[in-house]
Amino acid sequence: MSVAMARADQLSAEMQSFVNQSALFQPVDDSLMQMRVAYDALCRHFTPPLPDGVQLEDHLLPVDGRHIPLRLYRPATATPSAGWPCVLYLHGGGWVLGGLDSHAFIAALLAQECAASVLVVDYRLAPEHVFPAAFDDCLAVWDWLSVDGLALGINPARVVVAGDSAGSNLAAALCLATRGRQGPPLCGQALIYPALAAVPTEPAASEHADAPLLGRDDMAYYLAQYAPDPATHADPRLAPLAAANLQGMPPAFVAVAEYDPLRDDGLLYVRRLQASGVAAQYHLGRGLLHGCCASGSRGRRPPAWSAHCQRPSLACLLTRHDMDRHDMGCSAMPCGAAPPSPDLAMLIRKAWPDKKRAGIYRPVTTPSRGEHP
């Protein structure tokens, strides 16, 4: 076992508690149905009540003789005349698990913290629907949103796409597919521990091959369900890092977990974005595991971070507007430095700019440690 691997004695008490709680929701057998039952129960366990001041609506988008279910979270106040800025949220779950309920702990809190609408897409799942079905659904939603978003009170010119894990994969692929198209561009991308390559990037893939909650074998299983044909594995719609260039992409905020075989997918993506002239921010959550966004969501709002940067607040992970100098546990900043940008909240505010927020975007180009771009 690699010394860099996440052992039980390396995990914070909070992360170990998260692992222990997650272990209570194991499927009763290896069937896909039971995997989904267990995953849904796990997500319900970590989902707090709907925050005050947030309301939700369910909608169906007709596409090619079928319907894509959507869930809209938004502030329970009057819709602005131009429509709400929006986070188009694509959920994780290895392209196999999850749905409208699974990521309520993220979507509802984002609507509250960012004063924006959050639109969650219930894209088709594998293995019933293999690649590129999930991507096609997300693209169909964007194509509709960019034209008719005001039907849901959304300003189509003020949309950020976000996602976690497999949802981040779909979000980055969507950004690639919509470059240069007619209509309003996406204003930003916010990726949480993204999967961006058919084979996870080294050295993290080997260092954390057996990490708790998600290992390299788990990723291979999910990929086999979603993209069983190896000929598709170099398609940028499946593996955004396979794209020949990343020029013209929206500004990016990429957060990764230290003990995650996917960690270096996010790092490589940010480096390539910056090399292509795209404003991109990388944040390493030290001591954290894949899936950790749920760990601080059950029934309370934890501190932003402990002094050792090991206790994440989901809202701060994505918006960071009340974080201290330890923001994201990122050692790219000297202690006491001002928090860098962009992040998800700032990307949203860029979509709805005002004079006070001018000039807040800049690429990070000066690393202070080798693991950061």
Side-chain angles (χ1 to χ4, degrees), residues 25-31 34-35 38:
F25 298 92
Q26 295 299 315
V28 298
D29 58 43
D30 292 334
S31 69
Q34 289 302 322
M35 286 179 60

Side-chain angles (χ1 to χ4, degrees), residues 258-289:
E258 182 178 14
Y259 301 144
D260 184 352
L262 299 180
R263 182 195 66 206
D264 293 341
D265 278 20
L267 172 58
L268 180 57
Y269 186 64
V270 168
R271 284 176 169 165
R272 287 195 57 199
L273 286 171
Q274 292 182 345
S276 298
V278 178
Q281 182 88 43
Y282 171 80
H283 285 289
L284 173 64
R286 295 199 177 280
L288 302 185
L289 297 168

Side-chain angles (χ1 to χ4, degrees), residues 291-359:
C292 65
C293 279
S295 66
S297 63
R298 183 165 171 77
R300 65 184 180 89
R301 283 196 60 187
W305 287 85
S306 70
H308 299 290
C309 309
Q310 291 180 326
R311 291 206 293 265
S313 159
L314 175 62
C316 291
L317 179 65
L318 293 174
T319 67
R320 299 193 307 111
H321 56 73
D322 61 350
M323 294 193 68
D324 62 16
R325 68 178 182 232
H326 298 290
D327 83 308
M328 295 296 301
C330 178
S331 62
M333 298 192 308
C335 189
S341 56
D343 58 28
L344 181 56
M346 290 182 178
L347 289 173
I348 292 170
R349 290 165 185 159
K350 182 183 179 185
W352 200 346
D354 63 27
K355 293 180 181 178
K356 294 181 180 178
R357 299 184 178 116

Side-chain angles (χ1 to χ4, degrees), residues 29 42 48 89 106 134 149 159 215 226 251 258 268 288 332 370:
D29 58 43
L42 172 67
Y89 197 87
I106 293 180
V159 179
Y226 180 48
E258 182 178 14
L268 180 57
L288 302 185

Side-chain angles (χ1 to χ4, degrees), residues 94 209-225 261:
D210 299 315
L213 306 182
L214 182 79
R216 186 164 55 184
D217 289 347
D218 299 316
M219 280 305 304
Y221 168 81
Y222 291 133
L223 179 67
Q225 305 309 302

